[in-house]
Amino acid sequence: MSAIVKLVDFPLFLVFFVVALAAPLLDAQTCLPASYFPEALINFKEWYRQQYGDYLFSEKPNFFVGTVWLELVFQWPLALLNLYAILSGKPWFNTSCLIYGVSITSSMVVDFLLFLVFLVVAVAVPLLGAQTCLPASYFPEALINFKEWYRHEYGDYLFSEKPNFFVGTVWLELFFQWPLALLNIYAILCGKPWFNTSCLIYGVSITSSMVVPVLSELILSGKASDELLMLYAPFLGVGVVAMLRGFVPHSAKSGSGVGKRTAFGRKKRV
């Protein structure tokens, strides 16, 4: 196992080493004055831009400049920290490496995946989850039949037995987590700077009050099928990713958010 870990750490070390050099010497030219850099570095950046047709370095769209600022202020120091952790064998390297991975993908992949999760929650909670604690007369027959199909297909005994803790969890989901999911959808679409805070709150809430007790019940009771466990388990990952995403700055620098791209498009047209 130790050999495998070292085998994985070596390419990571090379990546962090390249970032440690490239971020302040090349990428920083996107958002800092040219007078800060020697002519040799400026010429090298121009050669790279022309050789590979990297229009982002020439057009410098707002989202890209913001992403470079995020790289300089947060990801570059974290890369240096990870280099030190690998060389010194620090036990906290797993955590810092995970945060770095979330950070470099947050503006594209993580935010998109979280958006899909929030979208599913926004639809599923009032239409399906709410059937656990609200009268059946509130829902059309098609939704009731769909819930019954799901319950039989995956053997979700929580929906049939309705234990008190599960009913309470659904109420919390309806009154707190569902509105928060809607708020996070709005924050992603409009590029709101408070998204990291609302995302962190959602991650903490869903992990502590929903995922942990529900997964504990499913695992310890022995009633859950493998399919049911595989259905609920990813929500633990969602909670952890949402919490980690909460520590990544989300502002004009993050470049994620449809609203930011729309605003950029308006500026270009003017």
Side-chain angles (χ1 to χ4, degrees), residues 205-220:
S205 175
I206 194 175
T207 302
S208 61
S209 62
M210 180 184 173
V211 176
V212 171
V214 171
L215 283 180
S216 298
E217 162 64 24
L218 294 177
I219 295 172
L220 297 178

Side-chain angles (χ1 to χ4, degrees), residues 27-251:
D27 296 351
Q29 295 183 44
T30 305
C31 51
L32 295 177
S35 57
Y36 287 15
F37 304 93
E39 187 177 357
L41 286 178
I42 296 175
N43 292 337
F44 181 80
K45 189 204 76 171
E46 287 302 311
W47 169 85
Y48 159 79
R49 185 179 61 81
Q50 294 176 2
Q51 181 73 16
Y52 294 95
D54 196 336
Y55 65 93
L56 295 175
F57 275 92
S58 55
E59 296 182 5
K60 298 181 181 180
N62 291 341
F63 82 90
F64 184 65
V65 175
T67 301
V68 173
W69 274 115
L70 176 66
E71 184 181 25
L72 289 173
V73 174
F74 182 74
Q75 294 167 359
W76 178 58
L78 198 56
L80 296 177
L81 194 67
N82 283 330
L83 284 174
Y84 168 71
I86 292 175
L87 292 174
S88 305
K90 296 298 181 181
W92 42 261
F93 171 63
N94 292 339
T95 302
S96 60
C97 190
L98 178 61
I99 294 174
Y100 183 87
V102 171
S103 174
I104 61 172
T105 58
S106 62
S107 58
M108 295 181 293
V109 180
V110 173
D111 284 358
F112 177 71
L113 293 178
L114 286 175
F115 177 81
L116 294 181
V117 170
F118 295 139
L119 196 61
V120 170
V121 169
V123 175
V125 169
L127 300 182
L128 298 177
Q131 295 185 45
T132 305
C133 51
L134 294 177
S137 58
Y138 286 15
F139 304 93
E141 186 176 358
L143 286 178
I144 297 175
N145 292 338
F146 181 79
K147 189 205 76 173
E148 287 301 311
W149 169 84
Y150 157 77
R151 186 173 62 82
H152 287 294
E153 183 71 17
Y154 292 94
D156 196 336
Y157 66 92
L158 295 175
F159 274 88
S160 55
E161 297 180 5
K162 298 181 182 180
N164 292 337
F165 87 91
F166 185 65
V167 175
T169 298
V170 174
W171 277 116
L172 176 64
E173 195 176 22
L174 280 171
F175 282 104
F176 183 71
Q177 294 167 0
W178 178 58
L180 199 55
L182 296 177
L183 196 66
N184 283 329
I185 290 175
Y186 169 72
I188 292 175
L189 290 176
C190 299
K192 295 298 181 181
W194 41 260
F195 171 64
N196 58 324
T197 303
S198 59
C199 191
L200 176 62
I201 294 172
Y202 183 87
V204 171
S205 175
I206 194 175
T207 302
S208 61
S209 62
M210 180 184 173
V211 176
V212 171
V214 171
L215 283 180
S216 298
E217 162 64 24
L218 294 177
I219 295 172
L220 297 178
S221 68
K223 298 179 182 179
S225 63
D226 291 339
E227 292 80 7
L228 187 61
L229 286 173
M230 290 178 64
L231 191 66
Y232 276 96
F235 285 96
L236 178 60
V238 169
V240 172
V241 170
M243 285 189 288
L244 290 174
R245 180 61 183 86
F247 291 106
V248 178
H250 183 92
S251 62

